[in-house]
């Protein structure tokens, strides 16, 4: 049995739209976490932030603690206090300076998406072009006035 080409084209288009929507949702979540951290670093208590955002204080605690675990860029070693923005992946952090300067080269396993692609290699992690672009979008969105 051969596949209906129109249905196949529609499915491929829907897949592309869904992937783009997921990317936007991921960026929005990262920006949200960034703003929760900024509220906390500006002196807001976890309970105050949770109440104002209508989320549990445990969730605020998770967001804050996640950022405290490793607040050093895994590519250059700069601390969060030495850069403007830090982007967190599931297995690494990258600063805005490294995002702007990174050049991908040899293939390797990306520390952010775990895919094998051409990567930029830092001191303790690797990052592919897709994850660099995603990080740049999050950093840009976090610095843009809303």
């Amino acid at each position: 049995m051969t596949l209906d080409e129109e249905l196949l084209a529609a499915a491929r288009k829907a897949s592309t739209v869904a992937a783009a929507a997921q990317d936007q949702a991921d960026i929005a979540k990262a920006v949200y976490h960034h703003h929760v951290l900024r509220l906390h670093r500006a002196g807001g208590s976890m309970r105050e932030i949770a109440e104002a955002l209508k989320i549990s204080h445990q969730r605020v605690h998770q967001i804050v603690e996640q950022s405290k675990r490793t607040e050093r860029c895994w590519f250059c070693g700069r601390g969060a206090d030495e850069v403007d923005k830090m982007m967190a992946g599931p297995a690494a952090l990258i600063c805005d300076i490294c995002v702007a300067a990174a050049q991908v080269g040899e293939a390797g396993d990306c520390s952010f998406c775990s895919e094998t692609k051409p990567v930029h290699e830092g001191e303790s992690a690797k990052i592919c072009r897709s994850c660099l672009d995603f990080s740049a979008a999050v950093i840009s969105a976090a610095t843009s006035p809303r």
Side-chain angles (χ1 to χ4, degrees):
M1 177 171 134
T2 59
L3 295 175
D4 182 313
E5 289 300 320
E6 282 185 44
L7 292 174
L8 186 58
R12 286 183 176 143
K13 182 177 179 181
S15 174
T16 301
V17 170
Q22 184 62 53
D23 285 347
Q24 289 302 310
D26 291 343
I27 290 169
K29 181 179 178 183
V31 170
Y32 173 63
H33 286 196
H34 172 76
H35 287 294
V36 169
L37 287 170
R38 288 187 65 198
L39 285 167
H40 185 259
R41 289 177 180 152
S45 76
M46 291 185 202
R47 289 201 183 272
E48 288 174 314
I49 295 166
E51 193 173 297
L53 296 174
K54 296 182 179 19
I55 61 175
S56 72
H57 78 280
Q58 291 93 341
R59 183 65 188 124
V60 175
H61 182 76
Q62 288 173 338
I63 293 168
V64 170
E65 288 304 310
Q66 179 182 349
S67 76
K68 286 182 180 177
R69 276 187 235 131
T70 53
E71 289 194 330
R72 289 209 159 278
C73 178
W74 288 35
F75 293 83
C76 66
R78 289 182 186 96
D81 58 338
E82 301 173 75
V83 298
D84 286 333
K85 300 282 181 251
M86 202 68 91
M87 177 64 193
L93 280 171
I94 188 167
C95 70
D96 56 329
I97 296 167
C98 287
V99 167
Q103 298 293 319
V104 297
E106 298 294 316
D109 294 333
C110 178
S111 301
F112 286 74
C113 69
S114 301
E115 293 184 21
T116 302
K117 298 179 177 178
V119 293
H120 170 73
E121 193 163 345
E123 290 179 9
S124 304
K126 299 175 185 176
I127 188 167
C128 69
R129 172 55 50 201
S130 298
C131 291
L132 277 168
D133 292 344
F134 176 78
S135 296
V138 170
I139 288 168
S140 175
T143 57
S144 298
R146 295 255 171 212

